[in-house]
Amino acid sequence: MHCSSPKMVCETKIVADEHDAIQGTKKDSIILSSSQMWTSSTPAPNPLEENDVRKDTVLIREFERTDHVEVRRIFYEGIMERIPNTAFRGILQQSQTQFVYALLTLMCFVVTKSLALTCCAPFLLMGARYFYSHKVIHSYLACALHTDMADIEEYYMKHTGSCFWVAVLEGQVVGIVAAQGREDDNTVELRRMSVDSRFRGKGIAKLLGRRVLEFAMHNNYAAVVLGTTAVKMAAHKLYESLGFRRTGGSEDYMLPGMSRSPQERLFFQIRYQRYRLQLREE
C-alpha cells in the first residue's frame, strides 16, 4: 500500500461519544458565543470532598514519550470501532445505497426465482459491507500508524503551531487529541481525538476539545477546523456544543487507504463532514 505525505493523506478521525461537561473538575472553560472569548474559573473545593475531587479530576497535559503505547492503543481501538458503525449504522444515512441494495435483492429474485436465495441476499450484502469496512479501515490504520502516530514527538511536539495532548484520570491515559497549525489559512486543525471506551460519558472529549481551542486562541489563530467521518450523532453534538458549525462535506468520501475499486465503491460509503469555529475576524 502506498501512503502519500502524512499531512496530505491521514485525515482527522474523531471518535467521541460524550457531550456533557465533566463534573467535579477543578478547571472549566466556558465559551461566550457572542464574542468567542474564553474564561476559566477555579472553585475552591470543599475540604470534606477533597479526596473525591482529586479522584475524579481529569488532567489534560502535553504528550510525553512514555505515553506512546497507551496513545496508540486508544487511537487503534477507537478507529476499530468504526468498522461495525460504518458497515451497519452508516447505511441508515445512505438512502441511495439502500435503493441500490433493494434493487440488487429484487434482481436476485428475478434471475434465480428462488425465495430462499432472495431472503439471503440482504445478509450477503451486509456481510460484504462489513468485509470492505474492515479492509478499508485497516488500510487507513496502517497508514496512520506509520506516519504521524508512529512519531508523535516529531510530527506534533517539535513543530510550532502543533501539539498533542493526553487526558489522564487516576494516573491513566484515557483520551487523546492533537492540534496541527496551518499557516496557509491561519487555522488549527483538530485531529486524532479519541477517548478510551471505558471512560466515556465523563465529558473528557469536551475537555480535550476545549484545550485545542485555548491553544488556538493563545497562538492567535483565526479559526479551528476539523473533518470527521463519525457516524454517531453524539460526536456531532459534541462539536456543536463546543461552538463548531458545519461548513460542508461529501456524501461519498474516499477514505485514505481505499483502492477505489468498484467493489469498495459499492460496499463502502462514508460521509465526510467539515466543521469550523471562527475565533476572530481576519
Side-chain angles (χ1 to χ4, degrees), residues 11-14 156 165 176-182 187-194 205 208-213 223-228 238-239 242 244 275:
E11 302 289 343
T12 303
K13 295 292 168 283
I14 297 176
Y156 293 106
W165 297 272
I176 62 174
V177 73
Q180 184 176 35
R182 305 194 314 199
T187 63
V188 166
E189 183 182 7
L190 186 154
R191 313 184 75 220
R192 305 307 192 203
M193 184 190 284
S194 186
L208 289 166
R210 286 172 172 171
R211 186 65 190 90
V212 174
L213 299 183
V224 180
V225 298
L226 66 87
T228 179
L238 167 67
Y239 316 142
L242 287 169
F244 284 90
Y275 284 85

Side-chain angles (χ1 to χ4, degrees), residues 226 245-249 273-277:
L226 66 87
R245 295 294 177 264
R246 196 173 302 175
T247 59
Q273 294 176 323
R274 294 187 295 272
Y275 284 85
R276 182 182 183 94
L277 194 160

Side-chain angles (χ1 to χ4, degrees), residues 193-213:
M193 184 190 284
S194 186
V195 174
D196 190 317
S197 60
R198 296 169 296 175
F199 297 92
R200 293 178 185 164
K202 298 180 180 291
I204 296 173
K206 178 171 280 190
L207 292 177
L208 289 166
R210 286 172 172 171
R211 186 65 190 90
V212 174
L213 299 183

Side-chain angles (χ1 to χ4, degrees), residues 105-131:
T105 302
L106 179 61
M107 289 176 60
C108 177
F109 178 75
V110 171
V111 172
T112 65
K113 305 297 184 183
S114 170
L115 186 60
L117 287 176
T118 302
C119 291
C120 289
F123 296 98
L124 294 174
L125 291 170
M126 297 307 293
R129 282 183 65 87
Y130 184 86
F131 172 82

Side-chain angles (χ1 to χ4, degrees), residues 32-252:
L32 302 179
S33 58
S34 60
S35 60
Q36 295 298 336
M37 295 291 289
W38 290 78
T39 61
S40 298
S41 59
T42 308
N46 186 328
L48 298 177
E49 299 177 354
E50 185 174 356
N51 291 335
D52 290 337
V53 170
R54 288 178 178 176
K55 182 178 179 180
D56 295 337
T57 296
V58 175
L59 170 67
I60 307 297
R61 62 165 173 80
E62 291 187 3
F63 169 85
E64 298 174 359
R65 185 173 298 180
T66 54
D67 300 325
H68 197 246
V69 172
E70 281 298 290
V71 166
R72 284 170 62 96
R73 178 189 64 80
I74 292 171
F75 175 72
Y76 178 88
E77 292 178 356
I79 295 299
M80 287 296 290
E81 290 178 7
R82 306 299 284 278
I83 295 174
N85 286 339
T86 302
F88 305 131
R89 186 177 297 187
I91 196 173
L92 299 177
Q93 304 171 353
Q94 300 159 358
S95 56
Q96 184 176 355
T97 300
Q98 294 175 28
F99 174 78
V100 170
Y101 288 0
L103 184 61
L104 289 173
T105 302
L106 179 61
M107 289 176 60
C108 177
F109 178 75
V110 171
V111 172
T112 65
K113 305 297 184 183
S114 170
L115 186 60
L117 287 176
T118 302
C119 291
C120 289
F123 296 98
L124 294 174
L125 291 170
M126 297 307 293
R129 282 183 65 87
Y130 184 86
F131 172 82
Y132 281 100
S133 293
H134 189 279
K135 177 178 180 292
V136 172
I137 289 174
H138 260 277
S139 296
Y140 165 75
L141 268 171
C143 180
L145 293 174
H146 285 84
T147 52
D148 64 309
M149 297 303 290
D151 193 345
I152 293 169
E153 285 186 298
E154 178 63 32
Y155 197 89
Y156 293 106
M157 308 305 294
K158 295 182 179 180
H159 292 271
T160 303
S162 296
C163 196
F164 197 104
W165 297 272
V166 297
V168 180
L169 179 62
E170 299 182 23
Q172 180 178 353
V173 175
V174 297
I176 62 174
V177 73
Q180 184 176 35
R182 305 194 314 199
E183 299 301 329
D184 56 335
D185 59 358
N186 195 31
T187 63
V188 166
E189 183 182 7
L190 186 154
R191 313 184 75 220
R192 305 307 192 203
M193 184 190 284
S194 186
V195 174
D196 190 317
S197 60
R198 296 169 296 175
F199 297 92
R200 293 178 185 164
K202 298 180 180 291
I204 296 173
K206 178 171 280 190
L207 292 177
L208 289 166
R210 286 172 172 171
R211 186 65 190 90
V212 174
L213 299 183
E214 291 170 358
F215 174 82
M217 290 194 67
H218 291 162
N219 286 276
N220 297 316
Y221 283 99
V224 180
V225 298
L226 66 87
T228 179
T229 59
V231 175
K232 293 183 178 179
M233 291 306 298
H236 299 275
K237 291 180 180 178
L238 167 67
Y239 316 142
E240 292 171 359
S241 74
L242 287 169
F244 284 90
R245 295 294 177 264
R246 196 173 302 175
T247 59
S250 171
E251 293 297 319
D252 190 16

